[in-house]
């Protein structure tokens, strides 16, 4: 119901016809499930910075959800040789990754002392248990079976990750496209996918042919560069994460039980699409 003060007073021109009744249709909050979304920001302490900590994790998980949907859609297009829409989707993945990168700047306004006010209340909770992060890694091809362990008590996430682990990664699909173009022998393609790919000379030679004749192999060349964009952004995420972690907890062990910065630094060495990086030296 409109109160007298809502009815009176100056109105910004153009706003006087704004709807006031929403019976039988969506409201803004209803459509976006805002009560659920904002209700999920539920700190377990009274520490001022905990809301920031939760918000940044939520923002990153929401972007990850979009990235997974776009990657999966791009992969189904690649599987049928439909390159143009797949490239558009991969461009969106890269832009979303950039947004994830910006979130660290906000998180870094929290100091080690601020974080210590609520860190103990996190128990064993850690990003190490982010099934969306692991899904992205598995989709991109960084596959290690031991990473399923934290999901042993989370059947849905475990089943989903296991399925991804045993399906082709986006890089496997790119290699299949090289084979369809006659640049790679079908025997060079893997038939089981549950391990990280290792660099192979014949795959490197196939990409070299693409980069040496970009006009002829434009689709493959464009795909290769889009994949490099995604890996470039992924590396930046890892670097920003480990730097933020060191800034906040130094070399303390992680709440997830790993050595913390030591473990995260090792992950900086992971290469998702090895031959795409190596080919640059040989060109
Ligand atoms: C106060 C800020 C943060 C600290 C101190 C921190 C600390 C850590 C540590 C120590 C690990 C290693 C695993 C462990 O033993 O816990 C880790 C892993 C991880 N964290 Fe964070 N983190 C922070 C913020 C974030 C944010 C905002 C995200 C976004 C979702 C995130 C996502 C992850 C992911 C996905 C992993 C697994 C990385 C991998 O296995 O390669 N972290 N974090």
């Amino acid at each position: 119901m409109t109160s007298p003060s809502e009815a009176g007073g100056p109105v910004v021109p153009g706003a006087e016809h704004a709807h006031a009744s929403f019976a039988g249709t969506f409201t803004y909050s209803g459509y976006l499930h805002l009560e659920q979304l904002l209700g999920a920001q539920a700190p377990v302490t009274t520490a001022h910075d905990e809301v920031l900590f939760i918000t940044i994790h939520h923002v990153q998980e929401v972007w990850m959800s979009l990235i997974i949907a776009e990657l999966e859609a791009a992969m189904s297009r690649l599987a049928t040789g439909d390159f143009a829409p797949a490239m558009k989707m991969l461009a969106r993945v890269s832009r979303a990754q950039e947004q994830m990168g910006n979130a660290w700047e906000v998180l870094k306004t929290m100091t080690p002392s601020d974080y210590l006010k609520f860190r103990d209340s996190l128990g064993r909770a850690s990003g190490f248990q982010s099934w969306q992060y692991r899904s992205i890694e598995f989709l991109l091809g960084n596959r290690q079976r031991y990473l399923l362990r934290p999901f042993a008590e989370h059947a849905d996430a475990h089943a989903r990750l296991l399925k991804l682990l045993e399906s082709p990664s986006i890089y496997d699909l790119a290699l299949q496209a090289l084979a369809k173009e006659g640049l790679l022998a079908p025997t060079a393609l893997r038939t089981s996918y549950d391990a990280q790919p290792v660099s192979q000379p014949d795959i490197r030679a196939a990409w070299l042919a693409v980069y040496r004749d970009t006009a002829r192999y434009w689709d493959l060349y464009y795909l290769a560069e889009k994949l490099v964009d995604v890996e470039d952004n992924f590396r930046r995420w890892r670097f920003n994460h480990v730097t933020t972690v060191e800034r906040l907890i130094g070399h303390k062990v992680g709440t997830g039980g790993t050595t913390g910065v030591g473990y995260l630094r090792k992950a900086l060495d992971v290469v998702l699409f090895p031959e795409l990086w190596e080919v640059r030296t040989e060109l």
Side-chain angles (χ1 to χ4, degrees), residues 21 52 67 142 144 155-156 213 223 263:
S21 168
L52 167 75
I67 288 173
N142 184 22
Q144 296 172 69
D156 286 356
D213 194 348
L223 169 62
Y263 160 74

Side-chain angles (χ1 to χ4, degrees), residues 52-61 64 100 103-104 107 110-111 115 118-119 122 124-134 137 142 146-147 234 237-238 241-242 244-250 252-264 266-268 270:
L52 167 75
F53 182 79
I54 292 173
T55 303
I56 300 294
H57 279 84
H58 277 167
V59 165
Q60 300 241 7
E61 289 287 343
M64 285 192 239
M100 289 177 73
W104 297 114
L107 186 61
M110 179 172 77
T111 67
Y115 182 43
F118 63 90
R119 186 179 190 239
L122 303 178
R124 293 183 170 192
S126 159
F128 199 70
Q129 299 133 25
S130 165
W131 58 266
Q132 291 209 105
Y133 182 84
R134 239 20 116 197
E137 282 205 314
N142 184 22
Y146 82 87
L147 292 170
F234 207 87
W237 189 93
R238 284 203 178 102
H241 177 245
V242 69
T244 308
V245 173
E246 186 169 3
R247 186 171 165 153
L248 284 165
I249 62 166
K252 290 186 177 69
V253 293
T255 49
T258 75
T259 53
V261 166
Y263 160 74
L264 295 170
K266 273 278 164 226
L268 296 178
V270 171

Side-chain angles (χ1 to χ4, degrees), residues 34-283:
L34 276 190
E35 279 184 25
Q36 266 171 287
L37 179 75
L38 302 177
Q41 285 170 27
V44 294
T45 71
T46 54
H48 177 79
D49 288 63
E50 195 187 344
V51 175
L52 167 75
F53 182 79
I54 292 173
T55 303
I56 300 294
H57 279 84
H58 277 167
V59 165
Q60 300 241 7
E61 289 287 343
V62 172
W63 282 123
M64 285 192 239
S65 167
L66 180 78
I67 288 173
I68 291 170
E70 296 290 337
L71 276 178
E72 288 184 329
M75 287 166 70
S76 56
R77 295 301 185 120
L78 282 179
T80 56
D82 203 1
F83 276 66
M87 295 310 105
K88 188 167 180 295
M89 291 160 188
L90 288 179
R92 187 173 292 165
V93 168
S94 290
R95 297 294 87 76
Q97 287 175 304
E98 285 164 20
Q99 293 306 311
M100 289 177 73
N102 290 335
W104 297 114
E105 299 309 312
V106 191
L107 186 61
K108 281 191 286 190
T109 59
M110 179 172 77
T111 67
S113 344
D114 295 333
Y115 182 43
L116 283 175
K117 293 200 174 90
F118 63 90
R119 186 179 190 239
D120 283 348
S121 354
L122 303 178
R124 293 183 170 192
S126 159
F128 199 70
Q129 299 133 25
S130 165
W131 58 266
Q132 291 209 105
Y133 182 84
R134 239 20 116 197
S135 300
I136 294 172
E137 282 205 314
F138 285 8
L139 286 167
L140 295 178
N142 184 22
R143 288 139 182 244
Q144 296 172 69
R145 213 165 252 274
Y146 82 87
L147 292 170
L148 291 175
R149 274 192 236 149
F151 305 98
E153 293 163 2
H154 187 171
D156 286 356
H158 191 277
R160 195 193 137 79
L161 286 167
L162 190 59
K163 191 163 173 245
L164 291 181
L165 187 80
E166 292 170 345
S167 316
S169 70
I170 194 161
Y171 195 52
D172 290 308
L173 295 174
L175 302 184
Q176 287 173 17
L178 286 175
K180 274 186 206 142
E181 199 60 43
L183 291 167
L184 193 62
T187 48
L189 298 173
R190 25 185 219 166
T191 48
S192 93
Y193 304 103
D194 72 345
Q196 216 159 327
V198 281
S199 172
Q200 287 182 46
D202 44 357
I203 294 176
R204 195 163 59 240
W207 285 123
L208 200 54
V210 169
Y211 276 82
R212 285 199 172 133
D213 194 348
T214 56
R216 180 168 175 197
Y217 300 116
W218 185 263
D219 281 350
L220 288 165
Y221 164 62
Y222 204 58
L223 169 62
E225 285 299 298
K226 284 278 172 278
L227 291 178
V228 171
D229 279 346
V230 171
E231 178 158 8
D232 191 334
N233 285 323
F234 207 87
R235 288 182 184 191
R236 283 171 210 233
W237 189 93
R238 284 203 178 102
F239 179 78
N240 282 326
H241 177 245
V242 69
T243 305
T244 308
V245 173
E246 186 169 3
R247 186 171 165 153
L248 284 165
I249 62 166
H251 288 257
K252 290 186 177 69
V253 293
T255 49
T258 75
T259 53
V261 166
Y263 160 74
L264 295 170
R265 284 234 175 102
K266 273 278 164 226
L268 296 178
D269 296 336
V270 171
V271 182
L272 298 172
F273 315 126
E275 296 89 352
L276 286 182
W277 295 93
E278 290 161 6
V279 82
R280 286 152 152 82
T281 317
E282 291 188 36
L283 270 175

